[in-house]
């Protein structure tokens, strides 16, 4: 793993030739030469802290598969936790550098930047050429996970019809948590499937999917880590409903998010201000389909001006527009260089 200059950050395109109209071919979002983006899918994952043992907190690592593009790893404002990138074997190759830098990890150029408030961003526009893991390292013991930041990981990948003997993880829904407070466990079914051109997928060995897509998704997770309420000390938590179906007209989905007050034998909805000590989970999410028009927004906790400054604010993305409307208005009314990230 070596550092490189910023000029080497975006490798030259290997897409050559012309289309039927005589125009030069261009790569689409997923790097398909002459493609139209129809085989491209955006993946978004959120890393949330959980309490493993009293007085300790941890994050479950996320695998970045080989072959994905437009990778973005964004950590919320925090100085008590830092992004760490490591190889499949567990060797850390990026963790809390003291300045913005570019890292060449086995041919993949990763740009790291950090704000004065502790937000961190790692991104790569080209193709990821080797699998690696994203995790978070704490600067010291933390018992209250509500003070820890969330990390959002997004990338796009080509999802064209699989050929014979291609492998992918099949992930089921999470079960209900075994406890409503005080720390419980939830589980889900995760199996490796071998896909065939004809017939149904068949269950295969995990090692095949690990080679094709990276680390097996977790099939068990800690949940409800907050303390149990008492009559004198209620607990305030955010609760979210299931996501709605993706809107074909607009390309987004929604859910209800509300603040709940919990005391023994009673759970009631209260004003959002009661839960202000914890970041409110998002109630909108981009999904497959055309982008939505702006219908009103307000700047949120994302480092909007920082993303705008380094040309990584994607105002065609509904979530970015809703969280960073003021910065997006500046972007559209100025003569800045076009967004390098492009459409999601």
């Amino acid at each position: 793993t070596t550092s490189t200059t910023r000029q080497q950050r975006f490798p030259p395109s290997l897409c050559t030739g012309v289309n039927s109209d005589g125009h030069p071919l261009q790569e689409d979002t997923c790097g398909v030469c002459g493609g139209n983006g129809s085989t491209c899918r955006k993946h978004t994952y959120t890393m949330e802290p959980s309490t493993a043992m009293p007085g300790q907190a941890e994050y479950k690592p996320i695998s970045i598969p080989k072959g994905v593009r437009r990778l973005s790893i964004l950590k919320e404002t925090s100085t008590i936790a830092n992004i760490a990138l490591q190889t499949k074997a567990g060797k850390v190759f990026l963790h809390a550098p003291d300045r913005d830098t570019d890292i060449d990890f086995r041919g993949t150029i990763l740009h790291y930047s950090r704000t004065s408030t502790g937000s961190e961003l790692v991104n790569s526009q080209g193709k990821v050429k080797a699998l690696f893991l994203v995790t978070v390292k704490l600067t010291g013991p933390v018992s209250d996970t509500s003070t820890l930041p969330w990390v959002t990981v997004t990338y796009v990948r080509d999802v064209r019809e699989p050929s014979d003997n291609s492998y992918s993880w099949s992930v089921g829904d999470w079960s209900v948590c075994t406890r409503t407070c005080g720390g419980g466990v939830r589980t889900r079914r995760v199996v490796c499937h071998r896909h065939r051109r004809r017939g149904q997928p068949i269950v295969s060995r995990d090692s095949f999917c690990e080679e094709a897509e990276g680390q097996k998704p977790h099939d068990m997770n800690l949940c409800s880590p907050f303390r149990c309420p008492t009559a004198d000390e209620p607990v305030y938590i955010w609760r979210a409903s299931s996501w709605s179906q993706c809107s074909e007209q607009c390309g987004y989905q929604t859910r209800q998010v509300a603040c709940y007050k919990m005391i023994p034998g009673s759970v009631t909805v209260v004003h959002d201000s009661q839960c202000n000590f914890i970041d409110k989970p998002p109630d909108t999410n981009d999904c497959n389909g055309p982008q939505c028009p702006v219908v009103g927004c307000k700047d949120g906790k994302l480092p909007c001006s920082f993303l705008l400054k380094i040309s990584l604010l994607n105002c065609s993305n509904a979530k970015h527009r809703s969280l960073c409307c003021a910065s997006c208005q500046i972007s559209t009314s100025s003569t800045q260089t076009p967004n390098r990230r492009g459409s999601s």
Side-chain angles (χ1 to χ4, degrees):
T1 304
T2 58
S3 297
T4 185
T5 62
R6 298 264 170 102
Q7 287 73 20
Q8 295 174 309
R9 181 179 172 191
F10 303 107
S13 172
L14 299 179
C15 186
T16 59
V18 296
N19 58 22
S20 58
D21 297 327
H23 297 113
L25 292 177
Q26 301 289 331
E27 290 185 349
D28 67 7
T29 304
C30 277
V32 179
C33 186
N36 60 7
S38 61
T39 64
C40 200
R41 177 173 296 174
K42 179 180 178 181
H43 297 257
T44 301
Y45 303 93
T46 301
M47 299 176 66
E48 303 177 31
S50 61
T51 303
M53 297 177 60
Q56 297 183 6
E58 65 176 15
Y59 289 78
K60 299 292 186 181
I62 290 180
S63 294
I64 306 300
K66 177 181 177 180
V68 304
R69 293 173 178 265
R70 295 181 179 267
L71 171 67
S72 172
I73 306 166
L74 178 63
K75 188 207 71 179
E76 295 175 329
T77 299
S78 174
T79 57
I80 60 177
N82 296 301
I83 292 173
L85 305 183
Q86 61 187 45
T87 67
K88 185 177 179 180
K91 181 179 179 181
V92 175
F93 63 88
L94 188 147
H95 175 233
D98 56 6
R99 57 184 174 82
D100 293 1
T101 185
D102 289 341
I103 297 295
D104 183 344
F105 174 66
R106 300 179 182 174
T108 302
I109 306 301
L110 301 168
H111 174 64
Y112 172 90
S113 54
R114 184 186 187 94
T115 68
S116 59
T117 56
S119 295
E120 293 180 288
L121 177 67
V122 179
N123 75 289
S124 175
Q125 296 295 298
K127 184 177 182 179
V128 173
K129 298 182 179 180
L131 180 148
F132 63 89
L133 305 178
V134 181
T135 186
V136 177
K137 291 187 177 294
L138 307 180
T139 57
V142 177
S143 57
D144 183 3
T145 59
S146 67
T147 64
L148 293 172
W150 287 14
V151 177
T152 302
V153 178
T154 60
Y155 56 75
V156 297
R157 69 183 311 170
D158 189 357
V159 290
R160 285 174 289 187
E161 182 181 1
S163 61
D164 282 342
N165 296 328
S166 66
Y167 299 88
S168 67
W169 296 112
S170 178
V171 181
D173 294 330
W174 286 111
S175 67
V176 176
C177 190
T178 56
R179 298 189 63 182
T180 58
C181 63
V185 174
R186 58 179 183 172
T187 59
R188 62 182 178 181
R189 186 169 183 261
V190 180
V191 296
C192 178
H193 274 150
R194 177 166 69 89
H195 300 275
R196 301 173 292 173
R197 289 190 183 276
R198 296 181 180 180
Q200 296 295 320
I202 60 176
V203 176
S204 190
R205 292 201 302 269
D206 287 355
S207 58
F208 290 113
C209 283
E210 289 174 346
E211 180 66 25
E213 291 203 321
Q215 184 181 16
K216 182 178 181 178
H218 295 284
D219 57 9
M220 184 178 71
N221 193 18
L222 300 176
C223 51
S224 302
F226 49 87
R227 63 175 176 81
C228 291
T230 65
D232 296 329
E233 296 184 342
V235 169
Y236 297 91
I237 61 169
W238 295 110
R239 281 189 173 177
S241 65
S242 300
W243 287 109
S244 66
Q245 291 187 344
C246 187
S247 165
E248 294 182 0
Q249 296 79 19
C250 209
Y252 74 97
Q253 53 189 172
T254 61
R255 64 179 179 179
Q256 298 294 322
V257 180
C259 178
Y260 284 80
K261 176 183 178 181
M262 299 176 61
I263 59 175
S266 174
V267 179
T268 56
V269 178
V270 295
H271 193 271
D272 283 2
S273 61
Q274 298 291 332
C275 290
N276 275 349
F277 61 94
I278 309 175
D279 289 336
K280 184 176 182 179
D283 55 10
T284 60
N285 183 48
D286 284 342
C287 50
N288 295 331
Q291 295 294 335
C292 306
V294 178
V295 292
C297 55
K298 61 180 181 179
D299 279 357
K301 293 189 175 181
L302 281 174
C304 302
S305 59
F306 169 67
L307 293 177
L308 176 62
K309 181 179 179 181
I310 62 175
S311 301
L312 282 174
L313 181 60
N314 179 11
C315 294
S316 65
N317 179 293
K319 186 174 182 180
H320 279 218
R321 289 198 307 275
S322 65
L323 292 173
C324 302
C325 64
S327 299
C328 281
Q329 290 171 359
I330 294 174
S331 175
T332 55
S333 62
S334 68
T335 58
Q336 294 191 27
T337 302
N339 195 322
R340 292 198 297 254
R341 284 185 68 179
S343 300
S344 296

